[in-house]
Amino acid sequence: MALKYVVSEAGIGLRRNVSMSIALIVTIFVSLTLVGMGLLLNAQASKTEARWGSELQITVFLCNQNSDGGNCDKANVTPEQKAAVEQALQSNPEVASFEHKTKEQAFEEYKKVYVTSSQSNNKIYGTVNANDMQETYWVKLKNPTEYQDVEQQLAGMKGVDAVHDLRGVLKPIYRMLSIMKWGAIVTAAFLIIAAILQVANTIRLAALARRREIAIMRLVGAS
């Protein structure tokens, strides 16, 4: 009997405040959806960072005749300089492994990327030969987050033109994921506060609509 009375009174209250009830339901739904989106974006950002972070490699570009960096002087890297670079890689405790690629291997990769069906482009790219390429070392680290010491060590060595990694490319992606994540969470927090206020207002309106019944109940001793 009591349950039937509660259900009937709840139905009456909802019918009296249809717009407020719909607004409350929509606000809570949107806020919880945004909270879920924030949590999913957070998980996706963590997975993306772990996935790409474990595969990030440092690429060491050696000097060739076109290099004009401070360690090159427009001259090809010498065998002694290559040996010094390899020795530095082998002795560095943060280096897990490294692979050397010759100019010929770099030129084959270049042709795969830049040779197209366009004759005009092929005329431009065709002027490049294997001697224009740079020898490289692809370095895999034990801990991909500990890369600065390795980069600084290699960048200052003779025969090294440049040291690159993919963090500069992936950093905007991480930043965008972080902005979307925190934006969704902050918006959801504001909507949850709005939902709480709407619930409070709904209760107050329901109490105001029953002010006569409440006054009678107080007169008969109800708390």
Side-chain angles (χ1 to χ4, degrees):
M1 191 68 181
L3 179 60
K4 183 178 179 181
Y5 174 76
V6 171
V7 172
S8 64
E9 290 299 314
I12 293 171
L14 290 174
R15 285 196 299 272
R16 289 180 177 178
N17 302 281
V18 175
S19 60
M20 183 66 72
S21 301
I22 294 175
L24 180 62
I25 293 170
V26 171
T27 303
I28 293 177
F29 173 77
V30 173
S31 62
L32 292 179
T33 301
L34 288 174
V35 169
M37 287 177 58
L39 295 175
L40 288 175
L41 285 171
N42 185 29
Q44 185 61 40
S46 300
K47 288 183 178 180
T48 301
E49 187 173 3
R51 172 70 173 83
W52 289 104
S54 61
E55 296 187 1
L56 286 180
Q57 292 181 325
I58 293 176
T59 308
V60 183
F61 292 90
L62 302 181
C63 300
N64 64 4
Q65 71 275 9
N66 300 318
S67 302
D68 56 359
N71 300 329
C72 297
D73 299 328
K74 293 186 177 181
N76 285 310
V77 60
T78 64
E80 292 77 12
Q81 291 171 343
K82 282 198 295 184
V85 172
E86 291 187 6
Q87 178 62 32
L89 292 172
Q90 291 172 354
S91 61
N92 194 303
E94 295 296 334
V95 175
S97 62
F98 63 90
E99 178 185 2
H100 175 252
K101 288 192 176 183
T102 63
K103 290 185 176 184
E104 289 72 19
Q105 291 173 319
F107 185 61
E108 291 300 321
E109 295 292 334
Y110 172 86
K111 290 193 294 184
K112 291 178 183 178
V113 174
Y114 290 101
V115 172
T116 65
S117 57
S118 174
Q119 294 183 355
S120 59
N121 288 340
N122 285 336
K123 287 181 181 179
I124 298 174
Y125 299 140
T127 60
V128 179
N129 55 48
N131 200 37
D132 295 319
M133 298 291 104
Q134 291 177 288
E135 295 183 60
T136 56
Y137 286 99
W138 292 79
V139 184
K140 186 174 182 180
L141 303 178
K142 295 178 181 178
N143 183 1
T145 60
E146 301 293 334
Y147 63 94
Q148 294 181 348
D149 292 340
V150 179
E151 285 191 0
Q152 291 174 358
Q153 178 188 12
L154 296 173
M157 298 186 66
K158 288 293 185 181
V160 175
D161 184 21
V163 182
H164 294 162
D165 62 71
L166 292 178
R167 284 169 181 81
V169 177
L170 296 177
K171 191 174 181 180
I173 299 175
Y174 293 152
R175 186 185 298 115
M176 183 59 64
L177 287 173
S178 180
I179 292 173
M180 292 174 63
K181 175 188 71 176
W182 288 111
I185 291 175
V186 171
T187 305
F190 279 115
L191 288 175
I192 288 175
I193 293 172
I196 293 172
L197 294 176
Q198 281 193 334
V199 169
N201 288 334
T202 303
I203 294 173
R204 294 184 66 181
L205 288 173
L208 182 63
R210 297 298 183 88
R211 60 187 180 276
R212 291 183 179 179
E213 292 88 340
I214 294 173
I216 295 172
M217 292 173 66
R218 286 182 175 177
L219 289 175
V220 299
S223 60

